[in-house]
Amino acid sequence: MEFQNLLITNKGRIQQITINRESKLNALNKDTLAELHTAIAEAFQNPEVGGVIITGAGPKAFVAGADISEFAALDADGGTQLSRTGHTEVFDLIANGGKPVIAAVNGFALGGGLELAMACHIRIASDNAKMGLPEVTLGLIPGYGGTQRLTQLVGKGKAMEMILTADMITAGDALQYGLVTHVVNPEELLSKAEEILNKILTRAPLALAAAIRSINAAYTDGVNGYETEVAEFGKCFGTKDFKEGVAAFMEKRKAEFKGE
């Protein structure tokens, strides 16, 4: 499929999705969100794609926020639907996907941009990145999972401070707070993301998906994460990948997983 606002490139089993609205600092308008839904869904369904890197075009921004011009005509019902659709179609789709997704945060990641990064399973940042949720300056709150995922990642107190002050933080702060796991020079950002993802992709695909589901269960209302872990652990024993992993360990060789 041809996209107007995304660039899709493949390198081995890694697919890179670049949000390509550099003149708008890669802001998330409705069309871009719709394209992200399609691109992510296709990547998850494509057996040749093992994992995804999401980044933004140019050196200035990962995603500098939502396209605020599209908000002006919305009433309460319209705002509710906007948020619900975004959650379902993009942000939860990424977070609950069975393939690893890494956000390579270059420059500004604000509002919906930080929410997009937080929906990814791992975040790394360039040392010039700035992150924040400035929605209260517009009379809004984060609406794409920001109040929940930021709290999960950095704790209630820091999340309260960041959201209520609307202040941006540096990449170094984000690393200290646990919002990102690595900070690198801008020219090393994508290679670092590829390095992490390539290591992940040497592991058993079904086990990766099971691990993602189990970790997410810890933050899902009404779900016992320990019971999810027990169930997912048990299912792994029924896979060919488990048998291959054990055989490779016993035979002191590299495992060749097939996702079966």
Side-chain angles (χ1 to χ4, degrees):
M1 178 177 175
E2 292 293 326
F3 295 106
Q4 299 299 313
N5 299 314
L6 304 178
L7 295 175
I8 309 295
T9 56
N10 294 287
K11 189 174 182 180
R13 297 180 62 220
I14 295 175
Q15 182 169 105
Q16 181 177 314
I17 299 175
T18 303
I19 299 163
N20 189 34
R21 302 184 75 216
E22 189 174 355
S23 65
K24 301 292 186 181
L25 296 179
N26 304 320
L28 296 176
N29 61 1
K30 289 182 180 178
D31 289 343
T32 304
L33 286 169
E35 290 188 3
L36 272 171
H37 167 77
T38 300
I40 293 294
E42 289 180 351
F44 286 163
Q45 293 167 4
N46 186 345
E48 296 182 2
V49 175
V52 176
I53 295 170
I54 298 178
T55 195
K60 293 183 179 180
F62 173 73
V63 170
D67 195 327
I68 304 302
S69 64
E70 294 184 340
F71 289 7
L74 296 177
D75 59 11
D77 289 340
T80 300
Q81 187 57 49
L82 179 74
S83 177
R84 194 176 305 282
T85 300
H87 275 264
T88 302
E89 296 294 307
V90 179
F91 298 85
D92 290 348
L93 176 66
I94 294 169
N96 297 322
K99 295 179 181 180
V101 182
I102 295 180
V105 180
N106 48 314
F108 291 108
L110 304 176
L114 182 54
E115 290 173 303
L116 177 62
M118 290 192 294
C120 297
H121 303 120
I122 298 171
R123 287 151 297 284
I124 66 173
S126 59
D127 57 18
N128 65 340
K130 296 288 182 64
M131 304 174 208
L133 295 174
E135 285 85 351
V136 295
T137 66
L138 298 171
L140 295 172
I141 67 169
Y144 289 144
T147 62
Q148 305 304 296
R149 292 193 175 100
L150 186 64
T151 303
Q152 293 165 6
L153 289 165
V154 306
K156 181 179 177 181
K158 183 53 67 175
M160 282 282 191
E161 180 180 338
M162 286 180 62
I163 292 171
L164 299 185
T165 65
D167 285 347
M168 290 188 292
I169 63 171
T170 66
D173 290 335
L175 181 64
Q176 179 183 345
Y177 303 152
L179 185 51
V180 302
T181 56
H182 298 275
V183 174
V184 296
N185 294 328
E187 60 271 17
E188 298 173 345
L189 181 64
L190 290 176
S191 61
K192 183 63 176 179
E194 291 172 2
E195 174 192 332
I196 295 170
L197 197 46
N198 276 320
K199 179 179 288 187
I200 291 171
L201 295 182
T202 65
R203 314 313 186 194
L206 296 179
L208 295 176
I212 291 170
R213 288 191 294 269
S214 298
I215 294 167
N216 283 341
Y219 301 101
T220 304
D221 286 343
V223 174
N224 185 316
Y226 292 101
E227 286 301 318
T228 299
E229 179 184 283
V230 168
E232 294 291 348
F233 180 75
K235 289 176 186 177
C236 289
F237 281 80
T239 66
K240 293 180 181 179
D241 279 352
F242 164 70
K243 293 179 175 60
E244 165 63 12
V246 172
F249 178 81
M250 300 296 290
E251 296 164 12
K252 296 182 171 57
R253 61 174 174 83
K254 183 177 179 180
E256 296 183 6
F257 296 117
K258 297 181 179 179
E260 299 176 349

